[in-house]
Amino acid sequence: MTTCQNTLAIDVQNLGKSFGSKKVVDNVSLTVERGEIYGFLGPNGSGKTTCIRLMCGLLTPDSGSGTCLGFNILRESTHIKRRIGYMTQKFSFWDDLTIRENLDFVARLFAIKGRKAAVDQTLEKLRLQDRANQLTGTLSGGWKQRLALAACMLHKPKLLLLDEPTSGVDPTARRDFWDELHSLAARGISVLVSTHYMDEAERCHKLAYIAYGKLMATGTAPEIIAAKGLHTVVVHGEHLQALSEKLDHTPEVEQTVMFGTSLHASGLDKDALLSTVTDIAGTGLYVEPVETSLEDVFVYMMHRSQNNLRLPQ
Amino acid sequence: MSRESTFSFTRWWGVVVKEFLQLKRDPVTFVMILIMPVMQLLLFGYAMNTDPKNLPTALIIGEQSQFTRRIEASLRNSDYFAITKTLDENTARHALAKGEVQFVVSIPVDFSRRLVRGERPAILIEADATDPMTIGGALSALQGIVESVAEKELTGALGHVRGTSEALSIQVHRMYNPEGLTHYNVVPGLMGVILALTTVMMTGLSITKERERGTMENLLALPVSPMEIMMGKIVPYIFIGHFQAGVIILLTRLLFRVPFVGNPFALYVATVLFIASNLMLGVTLSSFTKNQLQAMQLTMFYFLPNMMLSGFTFPFAGMPKWAQVIGNIFPLTHFNRSVRGVLLKGNDWGDLWPHLWPVALFCVVVMALSVLFFRRTLD
């Protein structure tokens, strides 16, 4: 279908999916290149999981089309399933099987040659040889997540679809996990990963932000920040909550975000923003311009999409 | 006293509202709550009849005389008997073995002549006594009929023997279960009931469990086909079914001393077919359930009419036509007949075939349905 089948891991156009009368995925087009880590961001219930399921054939789109590793997502989901690794949002390996039994099962379904060696190798890499016969249900969250990733890597997939793989995992384990993703990407494996964490978003090559089923922005992190033309000032001090409420009613301020002892205020006009915030903040508070962060932009996009949706149609 | 320890109507109402909301969100349970009583009432009210009428009866008439014609007419007039055909001896016995008729009434050759001579001729009644409950009422009616015909007909030349109960005799043969032991009927029937309940439920649960725990998403994302999943899932339960069947057969022999006079291999084939049909059904039912509780409920929902319409709980012959038609769909009905046929009647392949193919057909249809309904996606 497409001319760039060789370089694109995912290439979907105008995907749409409704559950009942609710449009969960609305006209989403996305391309992920080989060897690219593509971050998929958006608030809860924005359609990230549904999008991923559409791409790997777990759900049938109502509209749109596309390819995954060059295979049609509508008709060739069997081929796709054999070549991708999909990690579900909720841990979905069998709690009542041991770690080895889970890996063995997956290896059998992929008809991996030299199954035992492959499983042993994976266990060794995970440093789980000693606990291979432990029931999976007894593992902690971090270990479960590592096992899940290892299991979906068993058949050496060309593309990984990871649905919030690091939710509930401690920062060190998250960091290790992302190091692993980057080494995989360096070997030419493409990764589509959904996340809520900004630090993780910043470690992606490219990002897509989705809200209410619609794709709001795509590109690299700096591109997305630049595209919104948002300027931000930070206010340091105490009793910022009252200030935040005041600023929210000011036209020059698009949004405020509280961070414990500081407050981010963003607006489209840099000078007007700075003078307005300085005026309202008054004395005792310290106001300075900062670089707009990815988080500021995402909060901004989320509010915008909410407001758009509330408009009568 | 803390406020939590007193009964709060607000909190109580909160719980009530929540329960109703959850009930509403669980349509399977809701429908079951509505349909269950209606179904039970219909089944108990209409289908259940412990004194069944219209039992299929074959007549073997050795001679055509005033007397035999009256006997036949009286039997036809009675509610208890449905005279299906007048057969020769051999086919009548076969029909009894296959369960096509419940009674064979034979009036021997020279009956009238021997009556006149005062030789006390006998009318032979062979009854399929595998289910003693079915034939009880009919048997006593049969004796009454013959006696009253004798009373009326023995006039003129036969007048001298009238009134003497020695004029003729009625010989009743309770075939296959001469002592009329109810456990001969109940115990083999239980084999099917136990197998059906456990096997349907076990497969149903094993698939629903995947859905409930979220592992189904993983399974569907892996390169395994629905057929592979379903066939893989039922294999362990085929073994469990065999084990159960073996234990039950052993107990019926050793503990209940139920005879086993038929072809064991024929029974084995019937059992395998029956287990397969239940497992396929369990798989199909699981396509409609979200959690294990629903799977259990749905199993019971299927199981209840099975118990009542299969001839296990109530005599099959006593059920109205519509109930028999439904009953004939269930594998349990046919399996019950096969087990009783082999254990008590000495059935062989020829006798069993009419009870084997409906189960095989059920298997094929349900398997097709299960493939059709199996959700390959999470839609």
Side-chain angles (χ1 to χ4, degrees):
Chain A
M1 254 166 75
T2 49
T3 49
C4 37
Q5 268 187 7
N6 292 327
T7 55
L8 291 180
I10 296 178
D11 182 15
V12 292
Q13 298 92 31
N14 314 107
L15 286 187
K17 179 78 184 173
S18 302
F19 294 126
S21 59
K22 192 169 181 278
K23 231 175 161 60
V24 183
V25 173
D26 192 0
N27 209 24
V28 168
S29 303
L30 201 80
T31 53
V32 177
E33 285 183 35
R34 295 255 157 119
E36 189 170 70
I37 300 179
Y38 201 101
F40 210 25
L41 291 103
N44 290 324
S46 56
K48 297 189 297 286
T49 300
T50 308
C51 247
I52 293 176
R53 286 175 177 174
L54 287 174
M55 289 173 204
C56 64
L58 272 179
L59 287 173
T60 331
D62 298 335
S63 56
S65 61
T67 59
C68 206
L69 295 171
F71 294 101
N72 189 304
I73 59 164
L74 293 170
R75 292 189 304 273
E76 297 173 307
S77 63
T78 335
H79 292 284
I80 296 173
K81 284 175 189 175
R82 268 185 225 138
R83 289 167 179 82
I84 61 159
Y86 171 48
M87 187 168 156
T88 55
Q89 186 173 349
K90 184 174 168 272
F91 179 74
S92 62
F93 285 87
W94 289 265
D95 280 346
D96 44 4
L97 295 184
T98 65
I99 295 163
R100 178 184 289 282
E101 285 163 349
N102 264 311
L103 291 172
D104 254 336
F105 175 65
V106 173
R108 278 205 176 90
L109 293 196
F110 281 108
I112 291 172
K113 289 192 186 79
R115 193 185 76 246
K116 195 170 176 314
V119 169
D120 280 337
Q121 206 183 331
T122 302
L123 283 170
E124 198 178 325
K125 218 174 102 196
L126 281 172
R127 275 168 273 128
L128 272 176
Q129 304 103 301
D130 301 337
R131 298 160 79 180
N133 296 322
Q134 187 180 333
L135 287 185
T136 308
T138 61
L139 287 175
S140 68
W143 279 109
K144 279 185 179 177
Q145 169 255 3
R146 296 189 64 191
L147 170 67
L149 181 69
C152 67
M153 293 291 305
L154 256 177
H155 60 295
K156 302 189 171 61
K158 293 275 180 299
L159 169 66
L160 284 174
L161 301 174
L162 312 174
D163 196 357
E164 293 184 23
T166 56
S167 59
V169 172
D170 70 59
T172 326
R174 282 208 290 139
R175 184 182 296 258
D176 293 345
F177 181 79
W178 274 85
D179 288 343
E180 166 90 23
L181 284 194
H182 273 279
S183 74
L184 289 172
R187 279 185 268 146
I189 292 170
S190 316
V191 181
L192 177 69
V193 52
S194 76
T195 180
H196 282 302
Y197 299 109
M198 285 308 129
D199 58 322
E200 291 186 353
E202 277 154 5
R203 293 192 71 173
C204 295
H205 297 127
K206 262 190 202 156
L207 295 171
Y209 186 84
I210 185 172
Y212 300 95
K214 285 193 174 70
L215 214 52
M216 312 295 293
T218 53
T220 62
E223 276 169 9
I224 289 179
I225 295 169
K228 294 297 160 190
L230 209 58
H231 303 279
T232 304
V233 293
V234 62
V235 188
H236 297 283
E238 282 171 9
H239 309 299
L240 293 169
Q241 187 58 41
L243 176 66
S244 153
E245 275 161 28
K246 263 187 233 161
L247 290 176
D248 276 335
H249 293 100
T250 321
E252 287 83 4
V253 177
E254 290 285 334
Q255 69 173 17
T256 56
V257 183
M258 287 287 300
F259 290 92
T261 61
S262 66
L263 174 75
H264 280 210
S266 306
L268 294 170
D269 186 329
K270 193 177 180 181
D271 299 332
L273 175 76
L274 185 59
S275 61
T276 309
V277 175
T278 317
D279 282 355
I280 296 178
T283 50
L285 295 173
Y286 177 61
V287 182
E288 64 169 339
V290 286
E291 292 231 336
T292 302
S293 70
L294 205 51
E295 182 152 9
D296 295 323
V297 173
F298 285 148
V299 173
Y300 174 67
M301 282 194 284
M302 199 164 92
H303 286 310
R304 280 271 300 263
S305 59
Q306 259 170 350
N307 292 338
N308 286 345
L309 238 89
R310 282 201 201 103
L311 290 175
Q313 297 190 345
Chain B
M1 202 177 188
S2 71
R3 282 184 57 205
E4 280 75 24
S5 63
T6 55
F7 190 88
S8 150
F9 278 92
T10 319
R11 286 197 297 260
W12 165 75
W13 184 244
V15 176
V16 171
V17 170
K18 170 193 158 283
E19 290 306 312
F20 271 108
L21 283 175
Q22 285 183 313
L23 205 56
K24 205 179 78 188
R25 306 270 149 73
D26 185 6
V28 175
T29 306
F30 201 64
V31 166
M32 207 115 61
I33 290 168
L34 292 178
I35 292 181
M36 269 293 208
V38 177
M39 199 173 78
Q40 291 193 17
L41 206 66
L42 286 177
L43 293 180
F44 276 114
Y46 291 112
M48 170 185 168
N49 180 5
T50 52
D51 186 21
K53 306 277 161 58
N54 292 314
L55 298 172
T57 303
L59 267 181
I60 306 170
I61 297 183
E63 62 162 34
Q64 287 296 328
S65 69
Q66 174 79 359
F67 187 79
T68 57
R69 276 192 292 276
R70 281 308 299 261
I71 290 272
E72 191 178 339
S74 299
L75 287 175
R76 280 186 198 279
N77 283 340
S78 138
D79 290 343
Y80 278 107
F81 306 99
I83 310 277
T84 46
K85 49 215 134 182
T86 317
L87 300 165
D88 66 275
E89 215 165 305
N90 251 336
T91 33
R93 299 269 142 73
H94 256 105
L96 198 64
K98 280 186 187 162
E100 287 167 5
V101 296
Q102 198 78 41
F103 296 104
V104 176
V105 176
S106 11
I107 301 172
V109 190
D110 284 350
F111 184 82
S112 301
R113 204 153 52 111
R114 291 175 62 201
L115 195 65
V116 175
R117 284 191 197 151
E119 284 177 11
R120 260 192 110 229
I123 294 178
L124 179 66
I125 297 162
E126 288 155 296
D128 178 349
T130 44
D131 182 3
M133 193 157 76
T134 308
I135 56 167
L139 265 186
S140 50
L142 192 58
Q143 300 194 341
I145 286 167
V146 174
E147 270 159 29
S148 87
V149 169
E151 185 79 7
K152 283 187 204 133
E153 286 306 309
L154 301 178
T155 52
L158 294 171
H160 64 283
V161 286
R162 188 173 74 159
T164 57
S165 59
E166 281 93 42
L168 55 85
S169 65
I170 300 165
Q171 279 182 19
V172 178
H173 284 186
R174 289 170 201 271
M175 307 284 285
Y176 319 122
N177 182 6
E179 291 157 85
L181 299 172
T182 33
H183 70 254
Y184 273 24
N185 179 49
V186 174
V187 172
L190 272 175
M191 180 167 167
V193 169
I194 294 167
L195 278 178
L197 186 60
T198 49
T199 46
V200 171
M201 192 146 64
M202 282 187 298
T203 34
L205 286 182
S206 86
I207 290 181
T208 314
K209 197 155 64 181
E210 303 270 6
R211 208 165 285 134
E212 196 178 287
R213 293 186 183 173
T215 48
M216 193 51 125
E217 184 182 1
N218 200 346
L219 206 53
L220 290 177
L222 290 166
V224 56
S225 76
M227 202 52 146
E228 287 157 357
I229 295 177
M230 287 188 290
M231 289 301 150
K233 284 224 166 248
I234 70 172
V235 165
Y237 300 108
I238 288 180
F239 284 104
I240 292 176
H242 272 75
F243 176 74
Q244 285 186 328
V247 169
I248 296 168
I249 284 285
L250 218 63
L251 288 182
T252 49
R253 289 290 297 129
L254 300 179
L255 216 60
F256 295 97
R257 307 246 165 234
V258 176
F260 192 135
V261 288
N263 182 340
F265 189 59
L267 180 66
Y268 176 74
V269 170
T271 309
V272 169
L273 268 177
F274 180 64
I275 292 172
S277 72
N278 285 319
L279 294 176
M280 292 317 303
L281 187 82
V283 173
T284 310
L285 289 184
S286 71
S287 300
F288 304 102
T289 54
K290 285 196 196 73
N291 54 51
Q292 298 188 60
L293 186 66
Q294 281 189 350
M296 301 265 279
Q297 287 175 323
L298 210 57
T299 307
M300 290 316 293
F301 189 67
Y302 165 77
F303 192 65
L304 200 73
N306 253 275
M307 288 274 285
M308 299 199 187
L309 301 183
S310 66
F312 172 74
T313 319
F314 314 117
F316 193 81
M319 302 193 307
K321 198 80 201 147
W322 61 267
Q324 293 194 2
V325 169
I326 298 172
N328 271 325
I329 297 171
F330 298 134
L332 183 61
T333 308
H334 299 282
F335 184 65
N336 274 347
R337 292 176 192 161
S338 300
V339 177
R340 285 171 189 163
V342 171
L343 261 52
L344 304 176
K345 295 181 177 182
N347 275 184
D348 212 326
W349 292 108
D351 308 311
L352 276 196
W353 177 240
H355 308 314
L356 290 180
W357 70 260
V359 182
L361 182 68
F362 184 92
C363 266
V364 172
V365 170
V366 169
M367 192 157 124
L369 285 178
S370 68
V371 173
L372 196 69
F373 284 119
F374 189 90
R375 281 170 276 177
R376 279 151 230 263
T377 60
L378 295 166
D379 284 282

